[in-house]
Amino acid sequence: MCQLLGTSCNRPTQIYFLWSGFQRRGGHTDTHSDGWGLSFFEGNSVRLFMDENSCCNSSLAQWVKCCPFKSNIIMAHIRRATEGTVELSNTHPFVRELWGRNWVFAHNGTLKNYYPEHKRFFPIGDTDSERAFCWIMDQLAERFPSAKPNALPDKNELLEVLLELTTEVSKYGVFNYILSYGEFLIARCASHLHYTLRQAPFGVIKLLDDNQEIDLGVVLDDVETQMAVIATQPLTNEHWLRIQPGVLMAFENGKIIHTIQGDPGATPGVASVVGK
Amino acid sequence: MCQLLGTSCNRPTQIYFLWSGFQRRGGHTDTHSDGWGLSFFEGNSVRLFMDENSCCNSSLAQWVKCCPFKSNIIMAHIRRATEGTVELSNTHPFVRELWGRNWVFAHNGTLKNYYPEHKRFFPIGDTDSERAFCWIMDQLAERFPSAKPNALPDKNELLEVLLELTTEVSKYGVFNYILSYGEFLIARCASHLHYTLRQAPFGVIKLLDDNQEIDLGVVLDDVETQMAVIATQPLTNEHWLRIQPGVLMAFENGKIIHTIQGDPGATPGVASVVGK
């Protein structure tokens, strides 16, 4: 299966440590070697790095590990292709502009025979994931016809609509995803998704995929820092909690701002097919 | 003023040599140090590297100079801000999805008091350039309502509509731009834009901004290679031709496929204000 990684923090942070572990799952400690993507929100803009090659061997993935970029919301994906060829256009995260915001989306799971109608947002590649994302964007545009850059939908209302749309997509299979337009990070669990919350007092933590440890107190550099890390599978020896199937969570400034229980979706038989 | 760079080639090429010269104009041999962007089409997908900092000092700009990526259509921009703050969201090229294609746009010039109505495509930053791009995308979506991924508009018709839209935008100021959705590269001159065509027999060429030379025969590696390079100002000692004001050209596989004379736009007084 593919894997997701997302961070929400109340101050811009770098990704070095988490990326060091996550990157190794892209062909070294795990089999997700069919592409990778890493995005940094910076205001309403997004830096997106991606490649269709194995993350653990990518010179670009290596470069971004030590890059100077910091962000309050970072999102990443490593891919093991189950639907769609191994090429750049099928690499997550996907990005679309809606209401003057960049919407960034990455998916883990497989949607079977899922070919929704597209009206305004069309897929560029040929994955079930991008089809689902474009369909959700289409639906949001239709549900909030008067929304625009200085008049975004109410957050609660937006999350309720997203949950409803997610339930619809989930009829076709496993739909774990992370999504953001830069203000908060949404994480929806169908089968596998975990999170950990970091706040003072910080301690020394270790990666599970590499022999590395850091002192969070030094790295996060401020006792006021609050950070949430969301990942398909735990990346460190911190205390991770499993998100229950069907739950949609929203994280803002490193804290949980919403937890909504929705339909878990997908039949048990389908739920075991986790391949995107 | 800002500067534009675009290449069209009948085979994927790297950007090392041209970028070496162009990068130096981003704060070293010239004053365009308020951000830069570099995009590579790869099929319908786009790799976009950008930064709001000076190109000549950017570690990312340095990395991409030697990066392994190749493309038939490469587009770049170095910015000297005249409208919009120096931040990532104001960095060209801008990208939007329309009809399942990535549309990539970069502008050189200043549009005065230009605040068009936006319907579907909204600016993320606050430049006149992105406002113009979003307006053009809106108009294209309206003019070709039945267009979709497997039914793109006829190329000639698309270029005629673009020329008409360009004339409209040009009433507000200087509108040199490069634009592509991955099939061909459009270059529109308002005041300053040049091109050179490369084909066998290839010779040794030199950069104008650095003490570097290469043997094109070695680099392009095939006598069948045809390449067009478009730039605000010539980058090498090759034979460059100036595009006349008002002319919109289209380059495909390294060759000119269309040259259309349109309204030069902007009054002579405005045309001398070249500041984006």
Side-chain angles (χ1 to χ4, degrees):
Chain A
M1 63 175 182
C2 299
Q3 293 209 6
L4 303 170
L5 168 63
T7 66
S8 162
C9 194
N10 61 350
R11 50 189 287 273
T13 56
Q14 286 183 302
I15 191 70
Y16 173 81
F17 187 69
L18 288 168
W19 186 246
S20 296
F22 196 63
Q23 184 195 10
R24 288 173 64 85
R25 295 184 181 178
H28 191 91
T29 57
D30 213 330
T31 59
H32 317 285
S33 54
D34 298 328
W36 62 273
L38 173 62
S39 69
F40 299 79
F41 271 99
E42 196 170 311
N44 290 333
S45 193
V46 168
R47 293 184 199 271
L48 175 60
F49 298 96
M50 57 181 180
D51 204 1
E52 72 273 30
N53 298 312
S54 159
C55 184
C56 74
N57 296 321
S58 161
S59 61
L60 180 59
Q62 198 63 24
W63 187 86
V64 298
K65 192 162 72 176
C66 304
C67 76
F69 307 128
K70 294 180 175 183
S71 172
N72 293 59
I73 297 178
I74 299 174
M75 298 165 68
H77 182 272
I78 47 177
R79 181 170 185 237
R80 197 185 72 188
T82 54
E83 187 164 329
T85 50
V86 177
E87 57 185 288
L88 194 63
S89 60
N90 289 337
T91 303
H92 311 219
F94 302 103
V95 182
R96 291 292 186 281
E97 176 266 315
L98 176 63
W99 308 321
R101 298 290 194 279
N102 280 301
W103 290 69
V104 180
F105 171 87
H107 169 218
N108 156 232
T110 299
L111 304 169
K112 295 285 185 187
N113 302 313
Y114 180 67
Y115 294 92
E117 183 194 359
H118 298 292
K119 296 173 184 173
R120 174 173 149 176
F121 295 92
F122 285 95
I124 291 168
D126 56 1
T127 62
D128 50 348
S129 311
E130 195 186 12
R131 289 196 290 273
F133 176 45
C134 288
W135 182 80
I136 288 175
M137 289 291 97
D138 265 344
Q139 294 296 313
L140 289 180
E142 278 194 6
R143 297 289 188 96
F144 301 100
S146 60
K148 52 189 174 182
N150 55 1
L152 295 183
D154 170 75
K155 202 180 289 182
N156 292 338
E157 203 179 337
L158 182 67
L159 290 171
E160 288 294 340
V161 169
L162 263 177
L163 191 71
E164 185 189 329
L165 300 176
T166 298
T167 301
E168 183 60 29
V169 177
S170 296
K171 292 175 182 169
Y172 295 86
V174 178
F175 197 44
N176 302 289
Y177 69 78
I178 50 176
L179 171 70
S180 181
Y181 63 89
E183 293 198 10
F184 51 93
L185 176 66
I186 296 160
R188 192 270 173 171
C189 180
S191 54
H192 301 287
L193 207 52
H194 298 76
Y195 71 94
T196 183
L197 299 176
R198 295 172 171 176
Q199 57 185 13
F202 301 111
V204 172
I205 62 168
K206 292 181 181 180
L207 284 181
L208 300 184
D209 294 80
D210 200 3
N211 188 24
Q212 285 191 48
E213 63 178 34
I214 52 163
D215 183 344
L216 274 184
V218 173
V219 175
L220 297 182
D221 192 30
D222 186 336
V223 292
E224 302 296 324
T225 300
Q226 293 200 301
M227 184 174 184
V229 184
I230 299 97
T232 299
Q233 297 295 342
L235 280 160
T236 62
N237 65 344
E238 290 164 282
H239 180 59
W240 291 75
L241 294 165
R242 185 176 181 190
I243 306 178
Q244 292 304 306
V247 167
L248 185 148
M249 298 182 76
F251 299 86
E252 188 171 5
N253 291 320
K255 288 188 286 197
I256 299 166
I257 56 167
H258 284 280
T259 301
I260 322 177
Q261 177 68 55
D263 190 325
T267 62
V270 176
S272 64
V273 181
V274 183
K276 173 73 8 51
Chain B
M1 61 176 182
C2 299
Q3 292 209 6
L4 305 169
L5 168 63
T7 66
S8 162
C9 194
N10 61 349
R11 50 189 287 273
T13 56
Q14 285 182 303
I15 192 68
Y16 173 78
F17 187 70
L18 288 167
W19 186 248
S20 296
F22 196 63
Q23 184 195 9
R24 288 173 64 85
R25 295 185 181 177
H28 191 91
T29 55
D30 213 331
T31 58
H32 317 285
S33 54
D34 297 329
W36 61 273
L38 173 63
S39 69
F40 300 77
F41 271 99
E42 197 170 311
N44 290 332
S45 192
V46 168
R47 294 183 198 273
L48 175 60
F49 298 97
M50 57 181 180
D51 204 1
E52 72 275 28
N53 297 312
S54 159
C55 184
C56 74
N57 296 321
S58 161
S59 61
L60 180 58
Q62 198 63 25
W63 187 87
V64 297
K65 193 161 70 174
C66 305
C67 77
F69 307 129
K70 294 180 176 182
S71 173
N72 294 58
I73 297 178
I74 300 174
M75 298 165 66
H77 182 273
I78 47 177
R79 182 170 184 238
R80 197 185 71 189
T82 53
E83 186 164 330
T85 50
V86 177
E87 58 184 287
L88 195 62
S89 60
N90 289 336
T91 302
H92 310 219
F94 303 103
V95 182
R96 291 293 186 280
E97 178 266 313
L98 175 63
W99 308 322
R101 298 291 193 282
N102 280 301
W103 289 69
V104 180
F105 171 86
H107 170 217
N108 155 233
T110 299
L111 304 169
K112 296 283 183 187
N113 302 312
Y114 180 68
Y115 294 92
E117 183 194 0
H118 297 294
K119 297 172 183 174
R120 172 174 149 176
F121 295 92
F122 285 95
I124 291 169
D126 57 2
T127 61
D128 50 348
S129 311
E130 195 186 14
R131 290 196 290 275
F133 176 45
C134 289
W135 182 80
I136 289 175
M137 291 289 97
D138 265 345
Q139 293 296 314
L140 289 180
E142 277 195 9
R143 298 287 188 98
F144 300 100
S146 60
K148 51 189 175 181
N150 55 1
L152 295 184
D154 169 76
K155 201 181 290 180
N156 292 337
E157 204 179 337
L158 181 66
L159 289 172
E160 287 295 340
V161 169
L162 263 176
L163 191 71
E164 185 190 328
L165 301 176
T166 298
T167 301
E168 184 60 30
V169 177
S170 295
K171 292 175 182 169
Y172 295 87
V174 178
F175 197 45
N176 302 289
Y177 68 78
I178 50 176
L179 171 69
S180 182
Y181 64 89
E183 292 197 12
F184 51 92
L185 177 64
I186 295 160
R188 193 269 174 174
C189 180
S191 54
H192 301 288
L193 208 51
H194 298 76
Y195 70 94
T196 184
L197 299 176
R198 296 172 171 175
Q199 57 184 14
F202 301 112
V204 172
I205 61 167
K206 291 181 181 178
L207 285 180
L208 299 184
D209 294 79
D210 201 3
N211 188 24
Q212 284 191 46
E213 62 179 33
I214 52 162
D215 182 344
L216 274 183
V218 173
V219 175
L220 297 181
D221 194 29
D222 186 336
V223 292
E224 301 297 322
T225 300
Q226 292 200 303
M227 184 173 185
V229 183
I230 299 96
T232 299
Q233 296 296 343
L235 281 160
T236 62
N237 65 343
E238 290 164 285
H239 180 59
W240 291 75
L241 293 164
R242 186 175 181 192
I243 306 178
Q244 292 304 306
V247 167
L248 184 149
M249 298 182 76
F251 299 86
E252 187 169 5
N253 291 320
K255 287 187 288 196
I256 298 166
I257 56 166
H258 284 280
T259 302
I260 321 178
Q261 176 69 55
D263 189 326
T267 61
V270 176
S272 64
V273 182
V274 182
K276 176 72 10 50

